[in-house]
Amino acid sequence: CDLFPDGVSYDLTPLAGEHKVSRERDTPPSTMVDELRFDICDTLGTQSGVDESDQCPSGARACLTKVNKKANQDDRIVAVIPVAQTSVLKPSYSSLSSSRGLNLILHGATYPSSGGTEQSLSIALTCSTETHDPTFVSYDGSEMRVDWSVPAACATQDDDTPSDDEAPPAKTKVGNGLGVFFLLLVIAVVLYFTGGAYYNYSTYGARGADLIPHRDFWREVPYMFQDLISHLCSSARPRHSSSRGGYIAV
């Protein structure tokens, strides 16, 4: 009774034990009563006071009994269908698409055993804060459907899967070293010119271009750069050595 679909956990142990759902259908001049007994965690026991031929075979997990009722006559059992059996249970489950909960399917053998159809029990377990009685939804001759709203259908997060409330660990962002260097360089330049301009203004009362710190140096920078380029170009220019041909006079 412990299920783990999609990384979440469902503990269905509180739902263990025998449960009953039924419906009545008018079939004049009689009434047909369909009663389902089921236990999702264990096999069903035998019913006391009921003839052995009117009970589901041993190992049944879900047993559908059809009873015909007619006024002034004894009730008559017309069908006993094992819709889920332990020997062929093959349980499957999936999350409900329309609401929080779980859809559980338990399988049974064919009914009738010769030339019949495979039986199954489909239980839609819906998450609820309170436990409600299961309800008979339908039976089409092959699939029995039951709805059940219970707290056990509220999934609990598996230990290995982070819950929605837990934020994923923040990724550490490592800044680019070159970008940090240029950022610091820009800040230093801004502080240099701002601080120098304020110093020249407050100390010498400078205005306009005179506010630039070390103005004469910055005025010479273009010429210094030009001389540097000229020097590099002259250094890179190939030198050709001339030589005299013939003999050397002695």
Side-chain angles (χ1 to χ4, degrees):
C1 281
D2 291 325
L3 306 179
F4 303 92
D6 303 326
V8 293
S9 173
Y10 292 90
D11 181 11
L12 304 184
T13 305
L15 307 182
E18 182 178 312
H19 302 275
K20 292 182 181 181
V21 292
S22 62
R23 70 174 179 181
E24 289 189 4
R25 295 178 290 124
D26 289 331
T27 55
S30 62
T31 301
M32 188 68 70
V33 177
D34 299 329
E35 182 183 80
L36 176 75
R37 298 187 304 121
F38 68 94
D39 187 338
I40 63 175
C41 294
D42 202 355
T43 57
L44 293 171
T46 57
Q47 290 181 288
S48 60
V50 178
D51 190 78
E52 185 178 352
S53 61
D54 292 333
Q55 301 204 41
C56 272
S58 176
R61 288 287 191 95
C63 182
L64 177 64
T65 303
K66 293 178 176 288
V67 181
N68 183 265
K69 294 178 177 289
K70 193 173 184 180
N72 303 321
Q73 293 186 14
D74 294 336
D75 295 346
R76 186 168 61 95
I77 297 177
V78 297
V80 179
I81 307 171
V83 294
Q85 289 180 278
T86 301
S87 58
V88 289
L89 197 62
K90 295 182 294 185
S92 61
Y93 43 84
S94 60
S95 299
L96 294 178
S97 57
S98 58
S99 60
R100 293 177 58 196
L102 182 73
N103 189 66
L104 176 64
I105 300 178
L106 307 177
H107 296 85
T110 58
Y111 179 87
S113 57
S114 177
T117 56
E118 291 186 355
Q119 303 294 308
S120 64
L121 169 62
S122 177
I123 306 177
L125 298 168
T126 306
C127 176
S128 174
T129 56
E130 298 179 355
T131 299
H132 299 271
D133 293 331
T135 57
F136 192 118
V137 177
S138 65
Y139 176 68
D140 60 5
S142 175
E143 182 185 43
M144 175 74 203
R145 296 182 60 194
V146 173
D147 284 350
W148 201 359
S149 297
V150 288
C154 302
T156 56
Q157 201 72 27
D158 192 30
D159 293 339
D160 296 333
T161 305
S163 64
D164 295 337
D165 297 333
E166 295 178 358
K171 296 181 179 179
T172 304
K173 295 183 178 180
V174 180
N176 184 286
L178 187 61
V180 173
F181 169 76
F182 279 109
L183 176 62
L184 294 177
L185 180 61
V186 170
I187 293 175
V189 170
V190 171
L191 291 176
Y192 166 75
F193 281 101
T194 303
Y198 176 76
Y199 176 80
N200 289 339
Y201 172 78
S202 60
T203 303
Y204 305 109
R207 296 288 189 278
D210 293 335
L211 290 172
I212 300 175
H214 306 101
R215 185 188 63 176
D216 294 338
F217 168 77
W218 293 111
R219 183 180 296 172
E220 294 295 328
V221 166
Y223 302 104
M224 295 169 60
F225 184 74
Q226 183 178 1
D227 292 342
L228 176 62
I229 296 299
S230 299
H231 177 72
L232 293 176
C233 291
S234 61
S235 299
R237 187 178 300 117
R239 297 180 179 180
H240 301 283
S241 58
S242 59
S243 61
R244 293 173 57 189
Y247 297 97
I248 300 175
V250 178

